[in-house]
Amino acid sequence: MARKPVVKKLVSFLDVILEAPHPPTLEPPSETSRSLLNVPIHALLLIWSYFSFGLTRDVAGTMARMIPNLILLQIGYAYVLLSKGKTKRTKKKGRGNDNVLIYASLFVALVASIPIFSVLVLFGSPLYDHLKETYLLALHLSFLIIYPLLVVYQYDLEVWFNLATFNVDSLAQNPVYVSSVAAFVGAWLGVFPIPLDWDRPWQAWPITLLVGSYLGYFVGGVVHYFL
């Protein structure tokens, strides 16, 4: 009995391999259109509100009372980003999916405040004397920095690893990433005025870190717009 030729089988097998989709590679994060609407102007409004409502007189109380305002403004900002952005979401995902993403990310940002609090403590933040203020700072940073990143980049672990390495392409493409990095830098710079012996009310922990993060968040959006 004659053997069947295997050449055609081998060729067809190679065709399947060549035509099969390749494993997904890590593409640059999604871009958003260059618009003044992407600049987080509400960060300046929040800074003014904090001092107007007595941040220097009652640090913990003011930070706690302003959390709902921060969340509401960040939700509005998230809708702007999703409406203006060129995300990788398919066209089948409509407004309902945006709502799920926006409000589910609030819960994730709330949970993320715990590791941020741990990092602040590990880097020398007061633990016993200002425990409440330190956690409220972590909560503000999470809703300010982590939340918009969750909305724009969603939950792709490869993309988040790319963000954690401060990828230059990512930094140049998306105002949300620029603002988040600038907010982190602003919070870090806010540490330096605290030990100075000026005895100013605004030097109380963690006012300068809080204001520095908000200023950095706004400045990052402005810098990206003019790049």
Side-chain angles (χ1 to χ4, degrees):
M1 184 175 180
R3 297 177 59 185
K4 296 181 180 180
V6 297
V7 177
K8 291 185 177 180
K9 292 184 178 181
L10 180 60
V11 172
S12 61
F13 178 72
L14 290 175
D15 290 339
V16 171
I17 295 179
L18 294 175
E19 293 177 0
H22 296 285
T25 57
L26 182 58
E27 299 177 358
S30 56
E31 300 181 6
T32 57
S33 59
R34 190 177 300 275
S35 170
L36 281 175
L37 293 176
N38 293 329
V39 179
I41 302 176
H42 61 282
L44 297 181
L45 175 62
L46 286 168
I47 293 176
W48 174 82
S49 300
Y50 294 160
F51 284 100
S52 297
F53 284 91
L55 180 62
T56 56
R57 297 188 301 271
D58 182 11
V59 179
T62 304
M63 292 178 67
R65 287 192 300 269
M66 295 305 293
I67 286 290
N69 295 339
L70 170 61
I71 291 175
L72 289 175
L73 289 173
Q74 287 292 80
I75 289 175
Y77 185 52
Y79 278 112
V80 171
L81 293 173
L82 290 178
S83 64
K84 303 291 290 185
K86 301 174 183 178
T87 64
K88 293 182 176 67
R89 295 171 298 127
T90 62
K91 294 182 179 180
K92 294 182 180 179
K93 294 183 178 181
R95 178 62 62 185
N97 298 87
D98 289 346
N99 292 334
V100 172
L101 175 64
I102 285 173
Y103 292 104
S105 297
L106 287 175
F107 175 76
V108 178
L110 177 63
V111 175
S113 65
I114 298 175
I116 293 176
F117 170 76
S118 302
V119 171
L120 290 173
V121 171
L122 289 175
F123 277 86
S125 300
L127 180 59
Y128 298 103
D129 296 336
H130 301 284
L131 180 63
K132 185 177 181 179
E133 289 86 349
T134 302
Y135 176 71
L136 286 170
L137 174 63
L139 198 58
H140 277 261
L141 292 177
S142 186
F143 284 123
L144 189 70
I145 298 175
I146 303 299
Y147 175 68
L149 290 175
L150 289 169
V151 171
V152 173
Y153 296 103
Q154 302 180 28
Y155 301 94
D156 190 328
L157 294 180
E158 288 185 291
V159 172
W160 278 87
F161 177 79
N162 193 24
L163 297 178
T165 58
F166 297 101
N167 182 276
V168 177
D169 292 334
S170 304
L171 189 64
Q173 286 178 5
N174 201 297
V176 177
Y177 188 44
V178 179
S179 292
S180 296
V181 172
F184 172 80
V185 174
W188 178 72
L189 293 176
V191 175
F192 293 96
I194 292 180
L196 300 177
D197 56 350
W198 295 343
D199 295 326
R200 302 293 183 181
W202 51 263
Q203 287 180 278
W205 175 265
I207 293 178
T208 53
L209 283 79
L210 181 72
V211 175
S213 63
Y214 277 81
L215 284 177
Y217 192 62
F218 169 74
V219 171
V222 173
V223 169
H224 178 272
Y225 179 78
F226 287 103
L227 284 179

